[in-house]
Amino acid sequence: MTDTAEPTAAAPGRLDGKVTVITGAARGVGRSCALAFAAEGSDLMLVDVDGEVPGVPYPLSTVSQLDHTAEMCRREGVEVLTATADVRDLSALEEVRDVVLSRYGKVDALINSAGIVAPSGSPVHETTEAEWELLLNVDLSGAWRTTKLFAPLMAERRSGSIVNIASTAGLVGYRYFAGYVAAKHGLIGLTKASALDYAPMRVRVNAVCPGNIRDDPEMEGRMLSEVARALDLLADGHQELFTEQQPMNTLTDPADVAAAALWLACDASRHVTGTAIPVDAGYTVR
């Protein structure tokens, strides 16, 4: 017997028709978020610095990594734009905003994933002023700049979601990471204050606080390796050492962080704002 039934149409994605801007999108958590949002139907503007930043002691993302992220997302059938911009540069971010508005006329979600973990590895009194200012400028002020530019666009439409990728370092302290800890605590403060500023306009602002994230080769992330380097841990054994610190005896995957960001960006969390959600295998419960 010949089956003449019509093929079943694919179920609509949770973000069909939406436009999302993601910073730090070339690799790591930013890439994972981009893939998750593309799979749910969102068109994307992917932003990364794509070059070295003086004072950061490890290689940052490249243009080829950003292009690779974009190509992976296009396979989901969504439109993807890319832009090279440093989150320390307001004028560069203004250009990104203008491109998004010119192409789409709106922004529905902003994912602030751009960040650095070093220069770190020293006690407070050995931290230089330049190191301190660099960490705060990227990890805290970068999210302030993008919020400053994109939140008003959402407020005009009385709809939108901003998700700041913070850290468990925004909830607890870590020895020898004062600049990073201060920046991430500040990012959670920015999240809460922004949530109140924009709540009347139905724009939600939340934070996701990852714990130790596995360096997934497919995502090309290296944050855990850089934390280990800053602490002078053996390269071959650092993953096991970090795993032992987790109550669930496992590291967090980039996809776990992306799933939380996706939930905060879609309508399923429409009454959630001002929160800081740990995705840390129980680390901050202790």
Side-chain angles (χ1 to χ4, degrees):
M1 179 181 293
T2 302
D3 186 356
T4 59
E6 293 293 326
T8 303
R14 286 179 285 177
L15 298 177
D16 277 0
K18 304 291 188 181
V19 176
T20 303
V21 176
I22 303 177
T23 68
R27 66 186 188 190
V29 168
R31 174 181 288 180
S32 190
C33 287
L35 292 171
F37 279 61
E40 292 291 342
S42 179
D43 293 326
L44 300 169
M45 166 57 89
L46 305 181
V47 184
D48 214 309
V49 65
D50 298 321
E52 300 310 306
V53 171
V56 178
Y58 57 90
L60 297 179
S61 64
T62 64
V63 172
S64 63
Q65 287 175 319
L66 183 62
D67 289 343
H68 183 52
T69 300
E71 185 54 37
M72 294 170 76
C73 293
R74 291 187 183 110
R75 294 170 193 164
E76 298 291 342
V78 301
E79 183 174 348
V80 183
L81 304 178
T82 62
T84 298
D86 188 330
V87 295
R88 298 175 300 165
D89 185 345
L90 183 62
S91 63
L93 295 173
E94 287 173 335
E95 292 181 11
V96 172
R97 176 201 59 192
D98 293 346
V99 169
V100 174
L101 282 178
S102 175
R103 177 64 187 89
Y104 300 112
K106 66 170 185 173
V107 174
D108 297 289
L110 167 66
I111 312 301
N112 283 314
S113 185
I116 56 174
V117 72
S120 295
S122 301
V124 170
H125 69 278
E126 294 181 7
T127 302
T128 68
E129 187 167 356
E131 291 170 340
W132 177 266
E133 290 180 348
L134 177 58
L135 281 159
L136 266 66
N137 201 359
V138 175
D139 291 354
L140 174 56
S141 297
W144 166 75
R145 292 183 185 97
T146 55
T147 300
K148 175 182 176 67
L149 293 175
F150 289 104
L153 306 180
M154 300 177 187
E156 288 177 3
R157 301 178 62 246
R158 298 184 64 81
S159 176
S161 175
I162 298 172
V163 181
N164 295 318
I165 305 301
S167 168
T168 52
L171 302 172
V172 299
Y174 286 93
R175 181 177 292 166
Y176 302 143
F177 283 83
Y180 183 72
V181 168
K184 293 300 185 177
H185 271 71
L187 184 56
I188 291 177
L190 174 65
T191 298
K192 293 179 180 296
S194 301
L196 292 175
D197 284 348
Y198 299 108
M201 285 74 79
R202 300 296 189 268
V203 176
R204 300 180 296 109
V205 188
N206 293 284
V208 178
C209 300
N212 290 320
I213 301 175
R214 189 187 317 278
D215 288 339
D216 183 339
E218 185 177 3
M219 298 298 107
E220 298 188 80
R222 57 184 300 155
M223 190 70 75
L224 195 65
S225 296
E226 291 307 322
V227 171
R229 184 202 57 77
L231 295 173
D232 291 326
L233 297 179
L234 294 175
D236 293 339
H238 74 271
Q239 184 164 293
E240 290 74 16
L241 289 173
F242 285 123
T243 301
E244 291 172 0
Q245 298 173 6
Q246 314 309 309
M248 293 182 71
N249 197 36
T250 183
L251 297 174
T252 300
D253 288 314
D256 299 325
V257 183
L262 178 64
W263 179 73
L264 289 170
C266 72
D267 290 341
S269 62
R270 65 188 182 276
H271 291 147
V272 179
T273 195
T275 64
I277 300 177
V279 182
D280 63 356
Y283 184 85
T284 54
V285 172
R286 299 177 302 174

